[in-house]
Amino acid sequence: MSKIEEFIKNEGAAFPGKTYVEELLKPVFNDQRDFLFHVMFDIHRAHVIMLEEQNIIKTDEARVMLAGIHKVAKTDITQISYQPQFEDLFFMMEAKIGEEIGTELAGKIHIGRSRNDMGISMYRLVLREHLLELLANSYRLSEALLEQAERHTETYITGYTHTQPAQPTTLGHYLVAIYDVLQRDIKRMWSAYETVNQSALGAAALTTTGFPICRQRTCELLGFDQVVENSYDSIAGADYLLETSSVLMTCMINTGRWIQDFLQHVTREFGSFYVADPYVQVSSIMPQKRNPVSIEHSRSIASSAYGDALAAINMIHNTPFGDIVDTEDDLQPHLYRAFNKANRVMKLMYAVLTTISVNEEHTKEMAKKSSITITELADTLTREYDISFRKAHSVASSISKKTIQGQKELYEWEISEINSMIHEFVDVTLTEHKWKKIISPEYFVEIRSIQGGPNPREVLRMIGERKKTLGKQHEKYTTIVNGLKNKKKQLTEYSI
């Protein structure tokens, strides 16, 4: 027997072939079992309730159906494994319900629907849960950012542009910036939630059904906000997946950027932040090491979450407009993994941020170096001595270059030397008091009290406003989550 003949024999002569089972049906079954089992039964319940209310099935039939659904829904999923006689989890569970209530009655549960509209609705229900979990962890991190920002409104640090020391600011100002970016990510999450939280049920395979079903009723029972009205759109539209993926990618990119900053700040050379002992690991050979692995892993996990979300988008690209497995079995696990990783990042960085220590004296000393207050010299010459800013900039630039060339810091110059350099351009003489203000990080920050600036009072104002807004957002979140919990309770306890 040739190798090809032997392969064909081992594969079998009828569906499903051995390779098809091992490389497709079994992995898909396992994903369905692990991610979709619980929502499948919620959809069964809602559909049966609607069928009874629309007089499509009899009340006593619906009562028996719900009892069977409730019983099978309690199955321990760890005890479920792929069986070749069933194409997928749906058919296996339909058979299990049939064992409880009879196959004829179990078969009626599927009146007026398809695995198409059912599957899309399951995916939406699961993604809704994931979005709400990520929102919860994002709000938690938001609180930590504001709390630390409030503690550090007068913790002076070096701000960077183009990776170079630029100007003094405060840690509070910096953390509020991170907070604001996260709030826009949260806003995008809510937008994705609104797109996701819509019901496809009633679209059936593509064109609805000849049975007098009520799409609004199943929508209401499952806590969806509205129906995806066009039945073709219900099963063909994949933008709810694209929007969700895009939100994950954007959030992880934004988060990864400031995580990268933290990795720099915790180095011995920078020494700005000190990661608490529970979140560092030691070297197996170098006893002096305090490896910030919590931050390192957060950075890499964020990148991995981005990659999984991007994979989902790539799988949708150039797919036909219709019901396709590209947007179903193979794609969904990428998004579930992306959410899992994104939540891990949020939790890890919450722990790190909440417990981190800041070397305030060191960051203040660093904010005096690298000539980063020199902008204030140009501003002072323009503001107080009526020098054009371009000429004032030239004065400041010249002094900065000489400072760097001489390997000095601004505070190491004598006032007479400063005035001598200024006199090369303009007839202005600074007092020692004026010069000390110009080179002071505290003065630099204090005078920048324009809306959104680093002035401590302005930062505190921003924090106060953001706390109020965050409180309102929490209320919205809590209302939605509690509403869905009530819907779930009503659905599972529904009595006919």
Side-chain angles (χ1 to χ4, degrees):
M1 184 182 296
S2 70
K3 288 184 178 180
I4 292 177
E5 290 172 329
E6 185 178 357
F7 174 80
I8 293 172
K9 180 181 179 181
N10 289 335
E11 284 291 294
F15 178 87
K18 181 181 177 183
T19 300
Y20 195 81
V21 168
E22 293 299 323
E23 306 305 329
L24 183 61
L25 293 181
K26 189 179 291 186
V28 166
F29 179 92
N30 292 339
D31 285 335
Q32 292 174 337
R33 176 198 63 200
D34 296 342
F35 299 120
L36 303 176
F37 183 86
H38 61 298
V39 294
M40 176 185 291
F41 288 92
D42 286 342
I43 287 176
H44 284 331
R45 294 180 181 107
H47 191 67
V48 167
I49 291 168
M50 180 274 296
L51 290 176
E52 189 274 337
E53 291 177 349
Q54 294 296 110
N55 297 314
I56 297 172
I57 59 175
K58 297 175 183 177
T59 300
D60 59 345
E61 290 178 325
R63 191 176 293 119
V64 175
M65 288 175 184
L66 287 177
I69 290 167
H70 290 330
K71 186 170 183 179
V72 178
K74 295 176 182 177
T75 302
D76 181 0
I77 65 170
T78 63
Q79 302 302 310
I80 300 175
S81 60
Y82 174 79
Q83 297 176 30
Q85 65 266 39
F86 302 111
E87 181 181 331
D88 61 13
L89 183 70
F90 168 78
F91 283 114
M92 178 185 283
M93 292 302 105
E94 185 178 77
K96 294 287 186 185
I97 294 170
E99 291 173 7
E100 295 294 331
I101 66 174
T103 55
E104 285 296 318
L105 199 53
K108 287 188 176 183
I109 294 175
H110 205 53
I111 291 173
R113 74 177 185 190
S114 163
R115 279 190 302 165
N116 290 359
D117 61 335
M118 184 179 175
I120 297 296
S121 295
M122 286 194 295
Y123 303 142
R124 287 174 176 270
L125 286 172
V126 172
L127 289 177
R128 179 175 78 183
E129 293 174 359
H130 282 297
L131 279 164
L132 288 173
E133 183 184 5
L134 185 57
L135 278 162
N137 286 313
S138 298
Y139 281 132
R140 189 164 172 250
L141 181 59
S142 297
E143 290 176 349
L145 284 165
L146 287 185
E147 287 174 8
Q148 286 287 24
E150 196 165 21
R151 291 192 189 104
H152 293 289
T153 56
E154 296 185 54
T155 299
Y156 301 94
I157 65 169
T158 303
Y160 292 82
T161 63
H162 302 278
T163 72
Q164 301 301 303
Q167 292 181 330
T169 185
T170 67
L171 182 55
H173 187 234
Y174 170 78
L175 292 176
V176 171
I178 293 173
Y179 172 89
D180 285 351
V181 174
L182 179 55
Q183 300 322 293
R184 292 194 292 274
D185 284 332
I186 287 173
K187 185 178 180 181
R188 284 182 277 268
M189 290 177 207
W190 278 120
S191 177
Y193 176 88
E194 290 175 6
T195 302
V196 165
N197 198 36
Q198 298 182 33
S199 176
L201 288 174
L206 177 65
T207 59
T208 72
T209 176
F211 291 94
I213 64 169
C214 179
R215 299 188 69 192
Q216 289 293 340
R217 182 56 173 148
T218 49
C219 174
E220 175 194 354
L221 286 165
L222 291 164
F224 287 118
D225 291 330
Q226 64 185 61
V227 169
V228 181
E229 185 173 48
N230 185 287
S231 63
Y232 210 136
D233 180 24
S234 292
I235 62 94
D239 54 304
Y240 76 100
L241 298 168
L242 292 170
E243 187 172 351
T244 301
S245 300
S246 298
V247 166
L248 282 165
M249 291 166 62
T250 303
C251 182
M252 289 298 96
I253 289 173
N254 285 333
T255 304
R257 292 183 68 204
W258 62 264
I259 290 175
Q260 184 65 26
D261 278 4
F262 272 48
L263 280 172
Q264 180 174 267
H265 281 292
V266 300
T267 61
R268 286 290 181 92
E269 290 78 7
F270 267 74
S272 306
F273 301 158
Y274 186 86
V275 181
D277 287 344
Y279 311 109
V280 296
Q281 289 179 212
V282 298
S283 166
S284 64
I285 188 173
M286 297 167 283
Q288 85 282 6
K289 296 289 294 298
R290 295 186 81 256
N291 299 325
V293 290
S294 52
I295 306 178
E296 291 175 302
H297 279 298
S298 295
R299 183 204 56 75
S300 62
I301 295 168
S303 297
S304 183
Y306 169 92
D308 276 320
L310 179 60
I313 288 179
N314 287 337
M315 291 173 74
I316 297 168
H317 181 244
N318 281 351
T319 56
F321 190 75
D323 171 54
I324 45 173
V325 295
D326 303 63
T327 59
E328 298 176 0
D329 301 327
D330 300 322
L331 180 149
Q332 295 293 330
H334 284 286
L335 278 180
Y336 306 151
R337 286 193 293 269
F339 271 112
N340 176 265
K341 292 168 185 175
N343 279 301
R344 289 167 62 195
V345 170
M346 294 302 187
K347 291 176 182 178
L348 279 167
M349 291 313 298
Y350 171 83
V352 170
L353 183 64
T354 302
T355 57
I356 206 164
S357 299
V358 181
N359 189 339
E360 297 179 29
E361 288 301 317
H362 175 68
T363 59
K364 185 175 179 180
E365 283 301 310
M366 293 300 293
K368 294 178 181 178
K369 296 181 177 182
S370 305
S371 300
I372 64 173
T373 62
I374 199 69
T375 302
E376 184 52 36
L377 172 60
D379 288 354
T380 298
L381 291 174
T382 299
R383 189 172 55 242
E384 300 182 23
Y385 298 96
D386 198 27
I387 307 297
S388 75
F389 183 76
R390 193 47 56 206
K391 180 172 281 189
H393 185 278
S394 297
V395 175
S397 178
S398 176
I399 293 174
S400 176
K401 287 178 181 177
K402 290 177 180 177
T403 303
I404 294 169
Q405 289 169 356
Q407 296 185 333
K408 301 177 69 170
E409 298 296 342
L410 287 176
Y411 55 78
E412 294 178 318
W413 290 109
E414 297 292 335
I415 186 60
S416 59
E417 295 174 306
I418 292 298
N419 282 324
S420 177
M421 287 184 277
I422 291 174
H423 291 159
E424 294 177 16
F425 296 87
V426 294
D427 186 20
V428 171
T429 301
L430 299 178
T431 65
E432 176 118 15
H433 176 69
K434 180 72 68 177
W435 175 243
K436 287 192 180 298
K437 287 172 70 175
I438 288 170
I439 63 175
S440 163
E442 296 97 316
Y443 179 75
F444 189 100
V445 166
E446 174 68 24
I447 202 170
R448 281 156 176 78
S449 57
I450 300 299
Q451 181 182 3
N455 174 283
R457 293 182 301 280
E458 174 61 12
V459 173
L460 282 172
R461 180 197 66 78
M462 289 191 283
I463 291 170
E465 289 186 357
R466 282 150 180 75
K467 280 188 172 182
K468 291 177 184 177
T469 303
L470 187 60
K472 292 177 182 177
Q473 286 291 314
H474 266 301
E475 290 177 9
K476 172 188 173 182
Y477 176 84
T478 302
T479 299
I480 288 174
V481 170
N482 288 340
L484 290 174
K485 286 180 180 177
N486 288 335
K487 286 287 184 183
K488 173 79 171 182
K489 187 172 186 292
Q490 291 167 11
L491 184 63
T492 54
E493 296 178 358
Y494 191 91
S495 177
I496 295 178

